[in-house]
Amino acid sequence: MTEERFDAIVVGAGMSGNAAAYTMASRGLKVLQLERGEYPGSKNVQGAILYANMLETIIPDFRDDAPLERHLVEQRFWVTDDTSHTGMHYRSDDFNEPAPNRYTIIRAQFDKWFSRKVRAAGAIVLCETTVTELALDAAGKVIGVHTDRAGSVIHADVVVLAEGVNGLLGTRARFRKVPKPEAVALAVKEMHFLPEEVINERFGLTGDQGCVIEAAGTISRGMAGLGFLYTNKESISLGIGCLVSHFAATLESPYALLDAFKNHPSIRPLLAGSEIKEYAAHLIPEGGFKAIPQLFGDGWVVVGDAAQLNNAVHREGSNLAMTSGRIAGEAIAAIKSRKHPMTSDNLSLYKAMLDKSFVLKDLRKYKDMPALLHTNSRNFFTTYPQLMSQAAQNFVRVDGTPKIEKERATTAALIKARSRWGLVSDAVRLALAWR
């Protein structure tokens, strides 16, 4: 293996790595993909949302055999306090279309399937192989990788870093800085198993229809965070994530936070009688556009979570990962077809193509949103949810108290919040960030 030379080496077999490896191999490039896990997806037991359009661009007929759980027809958004939720939901029969737009998946199964496609396209995939460092020539150009297997350098014209948000190769080579705690979230997740018919009844679903619930509020105990619930065929993926910096400042236990979330009065009935079989923790990039590092250099590009390509405002990650991997693969294949070297100047094509895609257009537009939500977390995740609950309960509770008194109480609470927490200032800043 060490005597061979590859057109490209891909480090990592997640969404972005598989997309890059498949794209290049299907265009005839000699590709080696290295994954440190026992198999692709072995570190991803959790459920996730798959955005069909992005995968369809890579594998048009993926619906024929991909391990899809449910197609999503309903999205619920909840703002919680300790005993209630104020919510809205959107459900449409339009999503019962021949080629649905979104699906729930279980990553361990899906990543295995994607890896089989990568192999079928002609790439060599080696698991249980850790890349220990990048190999550089005297001029600092990446020329391959060192691994924990016996042997010398494995050479390649270009290395694609798809190693995840906490990958060490890019930081050791000083291509990017270690992500700051305020730019990374830690999500803890569980899989709750229930019979398919029970899930359908509880969520008002039929066939392979699915529902997603996303919740924010006091469930994160003043930290910037989000809870989520995804319906699978015979299981429910439940999780909650908050900024690493907030966990460090508050000393909150991630597992205790998850335990409290699943026992929230609005969540507990949905999980009743379920069997918990899997638990996982996962780091997620949350810094947005301003946290994106250098994306290319002499002999290397970085994709997916390793490039901080996650749209936290719209809770999108896998679609950015797949798209960045695909675009990197297309750029490398184009450079190779012209017989040009994999220099920084030539690999800037990847960044130029990414600039034209929705990935960087969306992240650039909402570049100020993460900082606003992160620095005013007590307002957005405690004070305002409590005010919303109080106002809603005052409106619907009929107990003989004159309506004018309830309105005055609600107004007084708002005035107190405005003076104490800067409600008007937050509203203005939020509007400016969304403009």
Side-chain angles (χ1 to χ4, degrees), residues 12 71 126 135 144 214 235 256 260 286 299 314 338 361 376 383 425 427 434:
H71 75 274
L126 288 182
E214 294 177 322
S235 65
E286 294 281 329
H314 293 89
R338 300 167 190 162
K361 287 182 179 179
N376 294 273
T383 304
S425 174
W434 274 95

Side-chain angles (χ1 to χ4, degrees), residues 259-331:
D259 192 61
F261 178 47
K262 70 184 179 186
N263 283 292
H264 188 279
S266 296
I267 293 291
R268 188 171 58 246
L270 301 175
L271 305 176
S274 64
E275 181 181 2
I276 304 172
K277 292 187 178 180
E278 296 173 348
Y279 172 82
H282 181 60
L283 291 174
I284 303 171
E286 294 281 329
F289 183 80
K290 294 181 178 180
I292 296 174
Q294 176 71 18
L295 295 175
F296 62 93
D298 283 330
W300 63 273
V301 298
V302 60
V303 297
D305 284 2
Q308 289 277 331
L309 299 177
N310 182 69
N311 188 336
V313 176
H314 293 89
R315 294 97 44 223
E316 296 176 10
S318 65
N319 54 336
L320 281 75
M322 284 189 291
T323 301
S324 64
R326 172 183 62 80
I327 289 176
E330 290 174 350

Side-chain angles (χ1 to χ4, degrees), residues 101-177:
N101 178 254
R102 297 190 303 162
Y103 297 89
T104 54
I105 58 172
I106 296 173
R107 283 290 304 274
Q109 299 172 9
F110 181 84
D111 289 2
K112 277 185 183 179
W113 168 86
F114 207 162
S115 183
R116 288 196 296 270
K117 295 294 183 181
V118 171
R119 288 185 174 95
I124 297 174
V125 181
L126 288 182
C127 295
E128 297 182 285
T129 304
T130 300
V131 177
T132 55
E133 63 179 327
L134 298 172
L136 310 178
D137 65 13
K141 181 181 185 296
V142 174
I143 57 173
V145 300
H146 297 274
T147 75
D148 59 352
R149 292 178 178 241
S152 55
V153 176
I154 305 176
H155 288 88
D157 294 337
V158 63
V159 174
V160 178
L161 297 173
E163 52 180 341
V165 63
N166 59 334
L168 298 176
L169 296 177
T171 54
R172 285 174 179 167
R174 298 185 178 180
F175 296 156
R176 64 180 182 126
K177 296 179 180 179

Side-chain angles (χ1 to χ4, degrees), residues 190-222:
E190 289 179 343
M191 294 288 284
H192 292 250
F193 287 81
L194 285 166
E196 182 177 356
E197 58 273 16
V198 173
I199 294 174
N200 286 349
E201 181 180 359
R202 288 185 183 176
F203 291 88
L205 306 170
T206 59
D208 66 348
Q209 292 177 339
C211 172
V212 167
I213 299 173
E214 294 177 322
T218 61
I219 55 170
S220 61
R221 299 179 181 173

Side-chain angles (χ1 to χ4, degrees), residues 349-395:
L349 174 64
Y350 162 53
K351 173 62 163 52
M353 293 170 66
L354 205 59
D355 276 327
K356 295 178 181 178
S357 74
F358 76 92
V359 174
L360 290 187
K361 287 182 179 179
D362 285 353
L363 291 176
R364 185 178 290 108
K365 176 174 174 56
Y366 302 107
K367 64 182 184 297
D368 295 322
M369 284 295 293
L372 171 60
L373 296 175
H374 298 170
T375 57
N376 294 273
S377 60
R378 183 174 179 84
N379 297 17
F380 289 110
F381 298 95
T382 299
T383 304
Y384 302 158
Q386 290 172 339
L387 286 172
M388 291 177 66
S389 177
Q390 180 181 339
Q393 186 159 151
N394 283 345
F395 184 80

